[in-house]
Amino acid sequence: MSEARKIGDVILKVDNISLRFGGVKALTDISFDVREHEIRAIIGPNGAGKSSMLNVINGVYTPQEGTITFHGQQRRDMDTHEAAEHGIARTFQNIALFTGMTVLDNIMTGRNLKIKASFVEQALWIGRARREEMENRRVVEEIIDFLQLQSVRKTPVARLPYGIKKRVELARALAAEPSMLLLDEPMAGMNVEEKQDMCRFVLDTNEQFGTTIVLIEHDMGVVMDISDRVVVLDYGKKIGDGTPDEVRNNPEVIKAYLGAH
Amino acid sequence: MSVVSGARGTATPDTFPRLLLQHAAVRPDAPALREKYLGIWQSWTWRQTATEVREMAMGLASLGFRRGDNLAIIGDNRPRLYMAFAAAQSLGGVAVPMYQDAVAAEMTFVLENATIQFAIVEDQEQVDKLLEARETLPQIGHIIYEDPRGLRNYDAPGLISLEQLRELGRKFDAANAGRFDQEVAQGKADDVSVMLYTSGTTGKPKGVCQSHRAFITAAQGGVEFDRLSADDNVLSYLPMAWVGDHLFSYAQALVAGFTVNCPESADTVMTDLREIGPTYYFAPPRIFESVLTSLSIRMEDASRLKQRMYDYFMRVARKFGADILDGRPVPLTGRLLYGLGNLLVYGPLKNTLGMSRIRIAYTAGAAIGPDLFRFYRSIGINLKQLYGSTETCAYVCLQPDGEIKFDSVGKAAPGVEVKIADNGEVLVRGAMVLKEYYKRPDATAESIDDAGYFHTGDAGVFDADGHLKIIDRAKDVGHLSTGEMFAPNYIENKLKFFSHIKEAVCFGHQRDHVVAFINIDLTAVGNWAERRNLVYSGYIDLAGKDEVYALIKDCVEKVNAELATEGELSHSQIQRFLVLHKELDPDDDELTRTRKVRRGFIAEKYAPLLDALYSDKTVQHIETQVKFEDGRTGSIAADVKIGDARRLPMSDKAAA
C-alpha cells in the first residue's frame, strides 16, 4: 500500500481537447499531461472551464475534438464506469453524498466496484460475499483511521458540518483505492483551519498511497503550496503550464487573475 | 521498611516489571490491554504484553539505555506507551511521561531538566516537537515512534520506529541470553520508577520522583479498599503524565491485574465508554458536569411522556437512591418505586452513558457541586471522592462505601498517616510520599519535614466522623480578628455551587466578620428575571435590582446555614454582601487566566466598596476603569447597594 512518492512517467495525456455546448465553447484546444504520483492543479477564474476539463477526464463529457491517452491507450472519450475501473476516482464541487446514510455506509459505497460476489451470494450472505465484506470493511476502516473520522463513523452524513462532509467525500473516493484522484475544489467554502486540514490530508494521501492527484482549486495560495505542476485556464484556453513558480511569474496568468495590462 | 496494614502479602512482587512477569505466569491468556483499532477492539494478553515489554526493553538496552536513565514517554493513552513504562523500569530506568498537548517550547524545560536521551512517542506530531527541541538539546539521541504515518521521508539520526526497536530487541535478546531476567532481578523496590512533573502553576515544573514501593503501596491500598480484582475494566483516557492515570491505569492495573482499555481517539471517548462498559471509572468533575448538561438538554427535547417519566422517577431517585446505594433502611414502597424507576429510567440512562457496569467511580481535582454529586449517586452510580497529589501518588484519603459526604474527601486511606498542622495544613506520612523532587534538594527539604511528613499546602479539618475536609490552599487561609480560621475559597466555592452566582470573593482576614462580593451569572439570572417579567437593560441594571438582591440573599443565607453546622467555620458566616456592578474579568487582572480570583488585587481596586461593607452604609458610589476587548479603556460608574444577611447561631446538626 505504501509506495514511495517518486514522480514517474506520464500516465494521462490530453491532446487538443475542444468541448462545445451548442455555440458555447467551454474548452478550446487544451493539451497537458499528468505524471504518475504528482499533484497536478488546474486553476483559473470562474467559468474558465476547470470543471468541464475534469468532466472530460473521467468521461462525463465527450469532447468534440482531441484525444485522451490514459495508461498508453488513446481514445476520444472515457466511459465513466470504465474510468472508475481504471482507477480514477473523484469528488464533487457540490457534495454528493447519501445524506441519510452513515459515514461508514457512505464510504462503503466507494467499494462497490471491488465486489465480485454474485447477487445470490450477497443475498444469502455466503461464500465470497462474506469474505469480501470483511475485506472491504478493513479497507474502509483504514481510511477512516487515515482521515480521522472515527468519532463520526456511525453518524448520518446529514448531521455533519460541511468541512467533515468534504472529508467523507474524499474518504469515499479513496475507498475505491484509485491510482488517480480527481478533486473538484476540495477546499471551497472552508475556513482557514479546515483548509489546512484538507491540505494535510491531500498531501498525506499522495505520500502514503502514491495516488496521482488532479485538483481544481480557486484558492491560489493552497494550490501553489501543495502542487507539483499547475495548468492555468482562462475562457476555456490554456494560458499557462508549469511549476507554481513559473506560473506565478507568467504575465498571462497575472493578467487573467489581476486584470492588469 | 514501613509496612502497610495488610497491604503486603508474602510473595507479592515489589517492582512493576516483576508484577508484570507474575501476571504473565499466573494469567497468561487474560487480557491486559485493549485498544480499538480500525473499528475493532484488539487485545494484548498478559503474556503478549510481557513479550513486547521484553523486546522493547532489550531494544533500548541495545541502544545503550542504562540503569538510572530517564525515558520520555509522550502521546495519547496507547497500550504500547504503557508498555514503554515497564520496558524502561525493567532496565532499572525511570519513565518520564509528558503531557502530549504541550508545545515544543514547553517540553524543552522538562527534556532538559530530566536529561532525556531516549524518548518513545506516539506519532509524527510528537516527533516533530522532539526534533525541534533537539536543535537546542542535542542530547536527545534516540526518538522511537509508534505510528509511522507521515514519517516515511524523515531522515533524522536516531529516529526509528517501535517495530524496528523490537526487532533490535529480539536480536539483542538472542545474543545476550539471560540479560533481561538479570536486569529485572536487579531492580529494587526503592528505585525510582517514574518521574511525574507537577504542572507548575507556581514557578517551574518540578519532577516528582516516586519509587516502585510508593506506587505499589498506593495501588495495593486502593485495590484492597475497593476490592478491585483481575475481572475489572478501566477506560484510560486522561493524560498519562497525570498522577491519577498512572495510579489507576498502570499501578493498580499491575497490582490487581485488571484490564486497561484505550480509546480509539480522544474524540471517541464517550462511544468507547459505552462499548467497554468499565467497572471502575475516573473523571474530573467537569466531565460529570458536561454529561449531565447534555443529558438535560436532550431531555428537554424528549417527548412529553418521557419527560414526565424522567421528572417523576428522578424525584424518586433523589428521595431513595442514595440511601439504597449506601445500604441504609428504605421503606418497601420506596424500594419498589426505585426498582420500577431503575427498569424504566435509570437503567436505560446508565446504559446510554456507558455506566451500567460501574462498580466504583471516582472524582477529584476540583470541588464537585452537591447537586451533581447527588444526581449520579441517586441513579445508582457509586461516585466517590478522593484526595491526593502527585507527591502522594494520588493516595491520601478515600471515601469508604456507605460513608459518602459531598463536602469531604473521606478517611485516611489504608497505610496513610494524616494529621493537621497547627496552621491548618494537611500533613501526610507513608510509603506513598515522594522520594524527592528531581535535582531540587531545596524544594524537597521545604516540603518534607524531619519527621517524614509531606506538607501538602492544603488546609483541612477533620469532621466528627474522621473525614477530612479540604477547605483551601494553606497560604490563602487567614484568621478573623477574633482568632477563628477563615477559609475564603471554601466559602466562595459554596456560593458558586448556586447557578445564579458566577463568582464570589470573600474577605475577613483580620476583620471581625466576613463579607462577600458577588458576581451574578448573567445567563442564569437573566433567565430567572425573564420568567418573572423583570425588565432590565444589561448587567449593571440587573445586578442592582432589589429582586436580585433578595435572590442572592437567599443563597448567602443558605451558605450561612451550612457554615453554622461546621464548628470553627461557623464564625465565617457572611454578614454583609454586595452584587458587583461589573463582571470580574481576566482582562482587567481581576481573575487569573485559569479563572481564580485575585483577592488582594480586587480588595485594592474596590477599596471603597470594601470599606462600605465594613461600615453602616447601605449604598456606595464607585467608578471603575474597564478594558474593552479592542484594547480601549473606559470607566463605568454605579451606586452599589449593600445587603445584609442573617447569620445563624452555631449548631452541631450535621449537614446532610
Side-chain angles (χ1 to χ4, degrees):
Chain A
M1 184 172 259
S2 36
E3 298 159 41
R5 180 175 125 84
K6 219 178 92 200
I7 293 174
D9 300 330
V10 170
I11 53 165
L12 175 83
K13 198 159 163 289
V14 294
D15 289 299
N16 313 100
I17 296 281
S18 291
L19 174 72
R20 286 184 299 273
F21 298 112
V24 181
K25 279 184 135 180
L27 297 169
T28 313
D29 201 23
I30 308 280
S31 305
F32 65 91
D33 58 28
V34 180
R35 298 206 183 111
E36 197 168 11
H37 306 314
E38 80 173 335
I39 300 185
R40 186 74 149 122
I42 304 174
I43 65 168
N46 273 337
K50 303 183 296 283
S51 292
S52 300
M53 193 62 239
L54 218 56
N55 283 331
V56 168
I57 295 175
N58 85 325
V60 177
Y61 297 151
T62 306
Q64 279 78 8
E65 283 159 45
T67 56
I68 304 167
T69 314
F70 185 63
H71 281 303
Q73 213 179 338
Q74 198 184 63
R75 62 188 83 200
R76 163 62 58 80
D77 69 56
M78 254 329 191
D79 181 289
T80 44
H81 197 260
E82 204 181 344
E85 279 182 341
H86 280 95
I88 301 181
R90 75 169 292 179
T91 65
F92 299 85
Q93 192 172 345
N94 311 314
I95 297 167
L97 292 167
F98 304 101
T99 53
M101 280 161 48
T102 64
V103 167
L104 179 67
D105 288 340
N106 264 285
I107 305 173
M108 283 297 273
T109 61
R111 299 293 297 168
N112 227 336
L113 272 175
K114 309 282 171 183
I115 295 171
K116 300 281 179 287
S118 68
F119 176 74
V120 178
E121 282 171 315
Q122 288 188 51
L124 298 176
W125 187 238
I126 50 166
R128 280 186 298 186
R130 198 166 177 151
R131 279 197 308 278
E132 279 178 353
E133 172 102 4
M134 275 154 74
E135 169 61 13
N136 289 335
R137 178 68 190 266
R138 192 187 56 77
V139 174
V140 167
E141 284 291 347
E142 275 171 15
I143 292 163
I144 287 176
D145 181 58
F146 181 74
L147 295 177
Q148 292 166 22
L149 290 165
Q150 300 98 328
S151 59
V152 292
R153 188 186 278 125
K154 299 274 171 74
T155 311
V157 164
R159 292 226 309 257
L160 296 177
Y162 181 80
I164 305 286
K165 281 185 190 161
K166 279 276 195 192
R167 213 191 290 171
V168 176
E169 219 189 14
L170 176 62
R172 183 179 59 184
L174 283 180
E177 296 178 86
S179 59
M180 183 185 277
L181 190 56
L182 311 180
L183 304 176
D184 197 347
E185 302 221 9
M187 285 95 171
M190 288 191 175
N191 64 30
V192 178
E193 201 181 321
E194 289 170 332
K195 273 185 191 168
Q196 279 171 353
D197 282 351
M198 191 50 116
C199 277
R200 194 70 251 160
F201 288 129
V202 169
L203 286 170
D204 282 350
T205 304
N206 179 247
E207 190 192 308
Q208 185 91 5
F209 308 112
T211 315
T212 309
I213 291 172
V214 178
L215 96 155
I216 290 180
E217 193 44 71
H218 220 76
D219 186 330
M220 285 282 273
V222 168
V223 169
M224 297 303 178
D225 283 349
I226 67 172
S227 306
D228 295 305
R229 291 191 300 153
V230 180
V231 183
V232 191
L233 302 184
D234 189 23
Y235 293 114
K237 296 196 181 74
K238 184 169 102 170
I239 58 167
D241 189 356
T243 64
D245 274 337
E246 287 164 7
V247 166
R248 200 179 282 130
N249 297 319
N250 183 333
E252 284 279 320
V253 176
I254 296 171
K255 196 173 124 190
Y257 261 86
L258 301 176
H261 291 279
Chain B
M1 193 202 299
S2 65
V3 177
V4 168
S5 58
R8 286 172 53 80
T10 41
T12 314
D14 56 358
T15 67
F16 288 112
R18 293 203 274 266
L19 276 167
L20 172 65
L21 295 180
Q22 190 199 39
H23 288 301
V26 173
R27 48 178 70 85
D29 297 316
L33 293 156
R34 270 195 212 111
E35 180 186 41
K36 197 172 181 186
Y37 179 65
L38 297 185
I40 297 170
W41 286 96
Q42 314 280 342
S43 306
W44 281 260
T45 64
W46 284 102
R47 189 193 295 139
Q48 285 168 325
T49 306
T51 306
E52 286 203 26
V53 166
R54 183 188 180 108
E55 289 169 353
M56 283 161 71
M58 289 292 92
L60 287 170
S62 77
L63 295 174
F65 188 90
R66 284 187 309 270
R67 201 148 275 278
D69 278 356
N70 294 332
L71 173 73
I73 298 169
I74 317 170
D76 287 331
N77 313 60
R78 305 289 298 273
R80 290 210 168 89
L81 294 187
Y82 282 114
M83 292 178 202
F85 283 77
Q89 291 165 353
S90 301
L91 300 174
V94 180
V96 185
M98 290 164 60
Y99 284 94
Q100 70 273 27
D101 51 0
V103 297
E106 289 168 20
M107 282 185 177
T108 309
F109 175 81
V110 176
L111 291 167
E112 187 176 6
N113 185 257
T115 38
I116 296 295
Q117 294 172 312
F118 291 83
I120 295 187
V121 304
E122 187 188 1
D123 56 7
Q124 184 186 17
E125 184 190 341
Q126 309 300 345
V127 169
D128 284 346
K129 285 192 268 188
L130 283 181
L131 290 177
E132 192 187 325
R134 183 148 88 171
E135 287 168 16
T136 53
L137 299 171
Q139 94 244 3
I140 309 172
H142 300 278
I143 304 171
I144 298 128
Y145 56 84
E146 195 206 345
D147 181 356
R149 181 192 302 167
L151 287 166
R152 196 146 26 82
N153 295 330
Y154 278 50
D155 184 21
L159 178 68
I160 61 168
S161 72
L162 199 59
E163 282 306 311
Q164 287 169 305
L165 180 79
R166 287 169 54 201
E167 183 55 41
L168 287 174
R170 283 190 286 270
K171 284 191 188 129
F172 188 83
D173 205 6
N176 298 272
R179 172 77 180 271
F180 180 79
D181 299 315
Q182 199 185 320
E183 292 281 357
V184 171
Q186 269 192 56
K188 286 192 274 303
D190 288 313
D191 289 347
V192 175
S193 67
V194 68
M195 200 152 86
L196 301 165
Y197 275 79
T198 56
S199 53
T201 40
T202 48
K204 289 268 184 212
K206 292 188 292 249
V208 176
C209 300
Q210 293 288 15
S211 63
H212 291 271
R213 184 194 308 285
F215 261 110
I216 290 177
T217 305
Q220 275 173 340
V223 164
E224 284 169 18
F225 188 80
D226 286 316
R227 299 178 307 282
L228 299 170
S229 74
D231 300 328
D232 280 303
N233 265 282
V234 64
L235 183 73
S236 303
Y237 64 101
L238 293 160
M240 293 201 296
W242 176 63
V243 61
D245 186 68
H246 194 68
L247 178 66
F248 292 119
S249 307
Y250 187 75
Q252 291 189 341
L254 275 167
V255 166
F258 59 69
T259 311
V260 170
N261 300 280
C262 298
E264 189 171 20
S265 78
D267 304 328
T268 57
V269 172
M270 281 304 156
T271 325
D272 297 332
L273 187 68
R274 202 174 157 186
E275 288 173 1
I276 287 296
T279 54
Y280 183 40
Y281 181 65
F282 183 93
R286 67 183 160 77
I287 292 193
F288 286 110
E289 196 172 335
S290 71
V291 167
L292 180 57
T293 308
S294 64
L295 181 82
S296 312
I297 292 171
R298 282 174 66 180
M299 272 325 296
E300 274 169 31
D301 292 339
S303 67
R304 280 288 277 281
L305 178 72
K306 282 183 186 163
Q307 272 183 20
R308 293 191 39 190
M309 223 160 76
Y310 176 79
D311 290 341
Y312 176 77
F313 282 110
M314 284 320 293
R315 274 201 301 280
V316 172
R318 266 194 295 276
K319 207 163 159 192
F320 305 113
D323 287 344
I324 290 175
L325 192 62
D326 290 341
R328 279 193 287 269
V330 170
L332 185 64
T333 47
R335 270 184 201 282
L336 288 175
L337 270 177
Y338 190 86
L340 188 63
N342 199 27
L343 204 64
L344 295 172
V345 178
Y346 326 134
L349 189 63
K350 286 191 283 185
N351 188 26
T352 310
L353 299 177
M355 296 182 177
S356 296
R357 298 206 300 161
I358 288 181
R359 214 156 50 74
I360 296 137
Y362 273 110
T363 187
I368 185 164
D371 289 341
L372 192 60
F373 197 62
R374 284 194 196 109
F375 170 82
Y376 285 98
R377 292 195 61 81
S378 72
I379 60 170
I381 292 167
N382 189 12
L383 179 60
K384 309 199 285 181
Q385 297 186 77
L386 61 79
Y387 170 67
S389 63
T390 313
E391 287 87 347
T392 52
C393 297
Y395 178 76
V396 173
C397 287
L398 297 165
Q399 288 184 325
D401 283 343
E403 293 180 50
I404 308 298
K405 304 176 187 186
F406 71 85
D407 59 350
S408 96
V409 291
K411 288 181 171 165
V416 188
E417 279 179 59
V418 184
K419 74 171 190 187
I420 308 290
D422 294 338
N423 67 347
E425 186 171 359
V426 178
L427 307 183
V428 182
R429 189 161 71 173
M432 69 298 311
V433 166
L434 78 161
K435 195 171 184 182
E436 60 182 352
Y437 288 110
Y438 192 60
K439 292 183 189 164
R440 287 290 303 275
D442 57 319
T444 311
E446 215 171 88
S447 53
I448 305 177
D449 64 20
D450 297 336
Y453 280 102
F454 170 70
H455 291 239
T456 59
D458 291 321
V461 287
F462 278 108
D463 69 9
D465 305 325
H467 284 237
L468 180 67
K469 203 184 272 188
I470 298 297
I471 51 184
D472 212 331
R473 292 296 296 168
K475 64 178 168 49
D476 290 339
V477 172
H479 291 274
L480 300 174
S481 59
T482 47
E484 283 88 6
M485 182 170 39
F486 164 64
N489 239 315
Y490 184 68
I491 308 170
E492 286 159 12
N493 275 335
K494 278 187 184 295
L495 286 165
K496 287 199 297 194
F497 287 144
F498 292 99
S499 63
H500 296 139
I501 297 179
K502 190 172 184 189
E503 288 294 344
V505 195
C506 292
F507 302 94
H509 182 52
Q510 288 168 359
R511 306 268 194 173
D512 57 355
H513 62 260
V514 177
V515 298
F517 287 179
I518 308 277
N519 253 183
I520 52 170
D521 186 303
L522 187 58
T523 331
V525 178
N527 238 323
W528 173 88
E530 272 167 32
R531 271 185 280 119
R532 272 163 191 70
N533 289 327
L534 202 61
V535 183
Y536 67 96
S537 61
Y539 186 87
I540 302 180
D541 187 24
L542 186 63
K545 295 261 181 230
D546 288 332
E547 291 88 341
V548 172
Y549 264 79
L551 176 76
I552 299 300
K553 183 178 173 174
D554 193 45
C555 300
V556 169
E557 284 176 352
K558 277 186 191 147
V559 169
N560 281 351
E562 273 179 41
L563 287 170
T565 64
E566 297 182 28
E568 197 179 344
L569 292 171
S570 71
H571 299 277
S572 294
Q573 291 182 49
I574 297 162
Q575 185 144 333
R576 280 156 73 79
F577 71 94
L578 59 80
V579 180
L580 274 181
H581 57 296
K582 82 174 268 294
E583 287 187 274
L584 297 174
D585 195 327
D587 286 346
D588 294 325
D589 301 323
E590 291 152 342
L591 301 175
T592 65
R593 287 284 156 199
T594 50
R595 298 200 73 83
K596 295 202 173 85
V597 295
R598 302 179 61 187
R599 210 167 288 111
F601 179 84
I602 294 170
E604 240 168 74
K605 183 169 180 179
Y606 298 102
L609 291 180
L610 193 55
D611 290 342
L613 280 170
Y614 282 109
S615 69
D616 304 330
K617 288 186 187 170
T618 54
V619 66
Q620 170 70 42
H621 182 78
I622 179 127
E623 220 163 281
T624 321
Q625 292 282 322
V626 287
K627 232 179 258 156
F628 296 114
E629 268 175 21
D630 59 3
R632 288 180 301 124
T633 53
S635 78
I636 48 173
D639 292 317
V640 178
K641 285 180 230 163
I642 290 165
D644 290 300
R646 199 158 51 91
R647 290 169 49 128
L648 295 160
M650 187 169 155
S651 80
D652 50 4
K653 188 173 68 94

